[in-house]
Amino acid sequence: MINPLWLNTFKTLVEVGHFTQTAEKLYMTQPGVSQHIKKLEQACNCSLLSRENKTFELTEQGRIIYRYALKLNKEQEELFESLRFDNPFAGQCNLSCSGTLALQLYPDFLELQAEHPELSIHVEASPNQRIFNDVLQGTIDVGIVTQLPNDRVYQTEMIGKEALCLITHKSLENIEITPEKLHELGLIAHPDSTHYLSLYFDLCGDDALKKLNINELPKTGYINQLHQILLPVSKGLGFTVLPEGAVDNFPNKDQLHVVPPKVKVEEALYLVQKRNRTLPRRYDTVIDLIKQTFANSL
């Protein structure tokens, strides 16, 4: 590795063009400057200067070393600048949440990016466990989950609540939804349907639904694409349970009926990140937006 002190002396000498003035600029003696150049030439195993009386010219190797010195100097300046500069409205933010929350938050993220073009927000739709793993591995920096992690390596904060909805076709809005009716309709299943059904039936305040065995419900369809789950429901082909945000963002929501529960069913939303990790200030901007979105649900 080339000694950076020798390299800086060489760079200064090339730019000043005189040994004595270089020594003055670097607060060195002239023999000290000459010694640095000699050691640099020995390290490079070639002559860098072609001397003639009190002047010199760069050899071809000298030009290469000078360009290298300039490159290193520029990279160091950029490094120091990046360490000093933490713009709250510039840089990339990596976040992860459920597909439903992604649908709800992404339009707001796009508006924020339109306001601050140097800000880039990358959103990954993932289940809880994958979010925990990605935060731990550093693949993402911030996640939104619906359960508290067991491991103390995470820092969590409750930011709001998300309502769960039992959804049927609009033609059933005046019909009582009983276990028998749900068996008749059939379930439009999806990756989270078992979890949502269990939670909803346990907490909705309907004793008949609480006793229903979800494993015995006939399935009339299955889809793992969030934006497609409500499509068969809107055509009267079954029922499902999803977060309220999925209903709000469905284009044909006028074809849906959200069954009013006796007791509102909600899941807590937690902001999660790796404990003791300091994030850039741009994350404060994005996290503030997320908290504002769910502030009314607390």
Side-chain angles (χ1 to χ4, degrees), residues 20 26 84 87 100 113 120 145 150 162 193 208 243 247 270 290:
T20 302
L26 296 177
R84 289 192 301 266
N87 191 331
T100 303
Q113 286 188 231
S120 176
V145 295
N150 296 324
E162 183 179 40
S193 57
V247 180
Y270 300 97
I290 294 172

Side-chain angles (χ1 to χ4, degrees), residues 178-187 212-213 216-218 239:
T178 63
E180 293 73 24
K181 189 63 181 178
L182 294 181
H183 272 273
E184 178 186 331
L185 292 172
L187 172 67
L212 192 153
N213 187 340
E216 295 179 355
L217 284 169
F239 79 95

Side-chain angles (χ1 to χ4, degrees), residues 37-105:
I37 301 304
K38 182 179 180 180
K39 289 182 177 180
L40 181 60
E41 289 179 323
Q42 289 173 345
C44 296
N45 198 29
C46 60
S47 296
L48 304 178
L49 303 176
S50 176
R51 297 168 177 81
E52 186 173 345
N53 297 325
K54 293 184 179 181
T55 63
F56 64 85
E57 292 289 339
L58 290 177
T59 64
E60 186 59 32
Q61 292 89 340
R63 293 187 181 91
I64 293 172
I65 291 297
Y66 177 63
R67 288 195 294 267
Y68 176 71
L70 289 176
K71 179 184 176 183
L72 288 185
N73 190 67
K74 185 175 185 298
E75 289 177 351
Q76 180 172 283
E77 289 178 353
E78 291 174 349
L79 172 62
F80 288 154
E81 181 65 19
S82 67
L83 294 175
R84 289 192 301 266
F85 185 67
D86 189 6
N87 191 331
F89 305 112
Q92 180 174 312
C93 293
N94 299 308
L95 304 98
S96 190
C97 60
S98 69
T100 303
L101 293 179
L103 283 176
Q104 187 173 351
L105 290 168

Side-chain angles (χ1 to χ4, degrees), residues 280-294:
R281 289 176 60 200
R282 59 182 176 272
Y283 279 94
D284 294 337
T285 302
V286 176
I287 289 172
D288 285 345
L289 175 60
I290 294 172
K291 289 181 177 179
Q292 290 172 20
T293 302
F294 298 109

Side-chain angles (χ1 to χ4, degrees), residues 15-47:
E15 292 170 349
V16 172
H18 196 280
F19 277 84
T20 302
Q21 293 175 9
T22 298
E24 292 173 354
K25 185 172 183 177
L26 296 177
Y27 302 99
M28 297 173 62
T29 64
Q30 183 175 329
V33 172
S34 298
Q35 188 69 13
H36 279 191
I37 301 304
K38 182 179 180 180
K39 289 182 177 180
L40 181 60
E41 289 179 323
Q42 289 173 345
C44 296
N45 198 29
C46 60
S47 296

Side-chain angles (χ1 to χ4, degrees), residues 59-172:
T59 64
E60 186 59 32
Q61 292 89 340
R63 293 187 181 91
I64 293 172
I65 291 297
Y66 177 63
R67 288 195 294 267
Y68 176 71
L70 289 176
K71 179 184 176 183
L72 288 185
N73 190 67
K74 185 175 185 298
E75 289 177 351
Q76 180 172 283
E77 289 178 353
E78 291 174 349
L79 172 62
F80 288 154
E81 181 65 19
S82 67
L83 294 175
R84 289 192 301 266
F85 185 67
D86 189 6
N87 191 331
F89 305 112
Q92 180 174 312
C93 293
N94 299 308
L95 304 98
S96 190
C97 60
S98 69
T100 303
L101 293 179
L103 283 176
Q104 187 173 351
L105 290 168
Y106 198 55
D108 293 336
F109 289 157
L110 293 180
E111 288 188 14
L112 187 63
Q113 286 188 231
E115 185 178 354
H116 305 288
E118 294 184 12
L119 187 66
S120 176
I121 304 175
H122 292 208
V123 183
E124 181 82 17
S126 303
N128 286 335
Q129 192 54 53
R130 181 176 171 186
I131 293 174
F132 289 135
N133 292 338
D134 288 348
V135 168
L136 189 60
Q137 295 172 8
T139 307
I140 63 165
D141 298 309
V142 173
I144 305 174
V145 295
T146 56
Q147 68 183 60
L148 287 169
N150 296 324
D151 202 318
R152 293 183 179 180
V153 299
Y154 301 100
Q155 173 183 320
T156 58
E157 177 185 1
M158 184 176 174
I159 58 171
K161 295 179 181 179
E162 183 179 40
L164 291 182
C165 301
L166 175 61
I167 310 152
T168 68
H169 186 261
K170 72 169 186 176
S171 62
L172 300 177

Side-chain angles (χ1 to χ4, degrees), residues 216-283:
E216 295 179 355
L217 284 169
K219 295 180 176 64
T220 54
Y222 176 90
I223 182 72
N224 66 352
Q225 297 296 318
L226 176 64
H227 63 285
Q228 296 286 341
I229 295 172
L230 290 173
L231 186 59
V233 179
S234 71
K235 296 182 180 296
L237 300 177
F239 79 95
T240 198
V241 175
L242 281 172
E244 188 176 37
V247 180
D248 292 339
N249 288 281
F250 183 64
N252 299 323
K253 62 182 296 185
D254 60 329
Q255 298 298 309
L256 303 174
H257 169 55
V258 175
V259 179
K262 293 181 180 180
V263 177
K264 190 174 183 179
V265 181
E266 295 179 311
E267 276 194 305
L269 299 175
Y270 300 97
L271 199 70
V272 59
Q273 63 186 78
K274 196 170 183 180
R275 186 176 296 277
N276 298 325
R277 182 179 177 190
T278 302
L279 297 177
R281 289 176 60 200
R282 59 182 176 272
Y283 279 94

